[in-house]
Amino acid sequence: MRAVSCLLLSGSVAAELTFQVSHSYTKTEAKVVWTPLQSHPKGHSGAPSFRQSLDVEEDGDLRILHITDSHVSRFDEDPPHTHRMFDAMKSIEDMETHQQKRPCDQLVSLFQKAKELKVDLIALGGDIINYPSETEVAWVLQQLQDAAGGIPFLYTAGNHDWHLEFVKEPRYDSSRIPRLTSTLKPFFDHASGTSYEGMFGQHRVKGVDILWIDNSNYQITPEQLAFAEKQLSQSAQAGPVVLMLHIPLALPGVDLPPKEVCGHRSWGLMTDELASVEGRAKWPAKNEPSTNAFLELVQKHSAPHGRITALLTGHVHQDFTTGLPPPKVSLAVLSCNPRDENDAQCRTGSFFPRHQAQLLQNHAETPSYAKGAVQYNTLDAAEGGYRLVTLTRGQ
């Protein structure tokens, strides 16, 4: 059973309105329309509008193909350290055809889709490989050239990208930074934008800032927090932000176990269920203060009171894209009050404006609609999952 849901991020923080943002989405698509609001108080004569202040040369739809959790491992490279995960991901049932397929073939198909769709950017959201392997990193990079035709890409690591099972280490994430700066470094060297030793980075395209932060160990460091705060605190005239993380955030309303979210209040030593299975040291006692502060920061800077329009996450191999009222199996609810019809930022469901409906008119699946910033979780690429995100500047 696959649980699905959607989460509006906008909190109750009193702040200047920056963007009106509306979403129409299915399990594989998301159309995001962001409309800049006035940047000056009423009555300020001669002040240019927010829209006029933006770079007109950056107009045009931004199309991103989000691919996460492909878990590519073509070889059982280093048994027993690789055998369990290699065996688990030999073949996976495709989400559409229900046929058994190899994750590596699924990834090639998704790269080909990116080329056919002529997307502006491929966002690789972590767990692209099944365990650290220089061979597989080189293979993925070659497929980005051959199958995807050299489309620009971004990458943030997932826990499987750097963790090798049953290797004695003093800390559960001891290999993370060494792998980011060695085995995984070619990803960052070939990716677009600016990367800071694999821990965080930024890329601007068509007036949108895409920020990525590596939270693959469930935590946010003080350095990552400072980077996010600096980027998000820029004037709204800098344009909207899409935030890419591997692990979804434990924002208000999300009801997932500690192993599936970043910032869960119970995360830590006492809730670590998988240490023995994954052959690693146990988690530390609790979250870092900077992790908790990051969750607050994201809510503070989410549209309409901030620059964040969408989060792109993975890790849990589930699709978070169903509107309210949610089914009983839903794993998240709105952080605002869905019963308050006067709350303009708390509307989601299978209804949408006419202009949004036209964007998805050829899609067989009935779209849902939401306002504000939304956390999207994309189905794993090993099953053929992806999310095509189109950001459009409204009038």
Side-chain angles (χ1 to χ4, degrees):
M1 178 175 62
R2 181 177 297 117
V4 293
S5 60
C6 157
L7 174 64
L8 292 185
L9 302 181
S10 304
S12 58
V13 179
E16 180 185 1
L17 296 178
T18 57
F19 300 112
Q20 290 179 341
V21 182
S22 58
H23 303 250
S24 53
Y25 56 91
T26 66
K27 68 180 180 179
T28 57
E29 285 192 66
K31 306 285 187 176
V32 184
V33 178
W34 58 277
T35 304
L37 300 172
Q38 293 290 331
S39 60
H40 298 278
K42 292 181 179 179
H44 185 81
S45 61
S49 69
F50 190 170
R51 179 174 174 78
Q52 289 171 336
S53 69
L54 292 167
D55 187 351
V56 293
E57 294 183 359
E58 293 182 323
D59 277 341
D61 291 354
L62 171 60
R63 291 161 60 82
I64 304 170
L65 192 68
H66 184 224
I67 299 173
T68 184
D69 299 273
S70 51
H71 289 275
V72 169
S73 53
R74 296 170 301 148
F75 313 103
D76 189 1
E77 289 191 17
D78 188 14
H81 307 300
T82 59
H83 184 69
R84 186 185 76 89
M85 285 307 301
F86 173 77
D87 193 57
M89 303 300 291
K90 278 184 179 179
S91 65
I92 301 294
E93 182 179 299
D94 183 87
M95 59 181 280
E96 297 293 343
T97 67
H98 304 293
Q99 296 177 341
Q100 293 292 314
K101 294 188 177 181
R102 295 195 307 165
C104 59
D105 295 333
Q106 295 280 52
L107 186 61
V108 170
S109 294
L110 290 175
F111 286 167
Q112 292 171 340
K113 179 184 289 290
K115 185 177 180 180
E116 293 167 3
L117 294 173
K118 298 180 179 179
V119 301
D120 299 293
L121 191 70
I122 295 174
L124 300 177
D127 284 1
I128 299 303
I129 55 179
N130 208 15
Y131 32 76
S133 164
E134 294 179 358
T135 300
E136 300 298 17
V137 169
W139 181 85
V140 172
L141 287 172
Q142 189 62 52
Q143 298 312 309
L144 282 163
Q145 288 297 315
D146 296 344
I151 294 172
F153 73 94
L154 299 180
Y155 166 78
T156 187
N159 49 302
H160 281 275
D161 291 323
W162 49 261
H163 175 59
L164 198 62
E165 295 188 340
F166 303 105
V167 175
K168 190 174 182 180
E169 296 175 313
R171 182 183 166 93
Y172 82 110
D173 61 351
S174 295
S175 63
R176 176 173 170 240
I177 292 178
R179 290 290 187 182
L180 289 176
T181 55
S182 60
T183 308
L184 303 174
K185 188 174 183 294
F187 278 145
F188 302 110
D189 290 343
H190 289 82
S192 298
T194 302
S195 170
Y196 298 88
E197 296 187 338
M199 292 292 286
F200 51 86
Q202 180 266 348
H203 179 54
R204 184 174 181 85
V205 55
K206 291 189 174 180
V208 178
D209 279 323
I210 301 164
L211 309 181
W212 58 264
I213 295 179
D214 180 354
N215 68 342
S216 60
N217 68 341
Y218 296 89
Q219 298 299 300
I220 300 294
T221 67
E223 293 77 15
Q224 290 174 318
L225 177 64
F227 165 78
E229 189 165 25
K230 179 180 179 181
Q231 295 291 328
L232 296 174
S233 297
Q234 291 181 15
S235 167
Q237 293 185 13
V241 164
V242 172
L243 183 59
M244 183 170 74
L245 306 159
H246 177 62
I247 302 177
L249 299 182
L251 295 161
V254 173
D255 185 20
L256 290 170
K259 66 180 180 180
E260 295 183 350
V261 286
C262 169
H264 193 291
R265 66 179 61 187
S266 298
W267 185 90
L269 181 66
M270 301 305 294
T271 56
D272 188 354
E273 305 170 355
L274 298 176
S276 60
V277 174
E278 296 179 347
R280 56 169 174 78
K282 283 229 170 191
W283 294 339
K286 60 181 180 179
N287 289 310
E288 296 289 339
S290 50
T291 301
N292 299 326
F294 179 73
L295 267 65
E296 295 177 1
L297 181 73
V298 168
Q299 294 175 80
K300 176 182 177 182
H301 288 281
S302 290
H305 301 292
R307 298 179 61 207
I308 298 175
T309 60
L311 269 70
L312 302 180
T313 63
H315 184 61
V316 297
H317 297 201
Q318 295 175 6
D319 162 39
F320 286 22
T321 50
T322 298
L324 293 187
K328 292 182 179 180
V329 297
S330 177
L331 297 178
V333 296
L334 293 176
S335 59
C336 50
N337 182 6
R339 296 182 179 86
D340 185 357
E341 295 181 357
N342 295 320
D343 189 346
Q345 304 308 322
C346 188
R347 296 179 185 172
T348 184
S350 58
F351 55 91
F352 40 88
R354 184 179 300 275
H355 75 280
Q356 285 280 53
Q358 292 172 350
L359 293 174
L360 287 172
Q361 60 186 350
N362 296 322
H363 205 289
E365 185 180 352
T366 301
S368 294
Y369 170 71
K371 286 188 176 181
V374 174
Q375 178 169 232
Y376 289 106
N377 196 276
T378 299
L379 190 63
D380 56 300
E383 294 184 48
Y386 64 92
R387 192 177 304 279
L388 175 63
V389 182
T390 303
L391 291 100
T392 303
R393 184 184 301 173
Q395 300 297 323

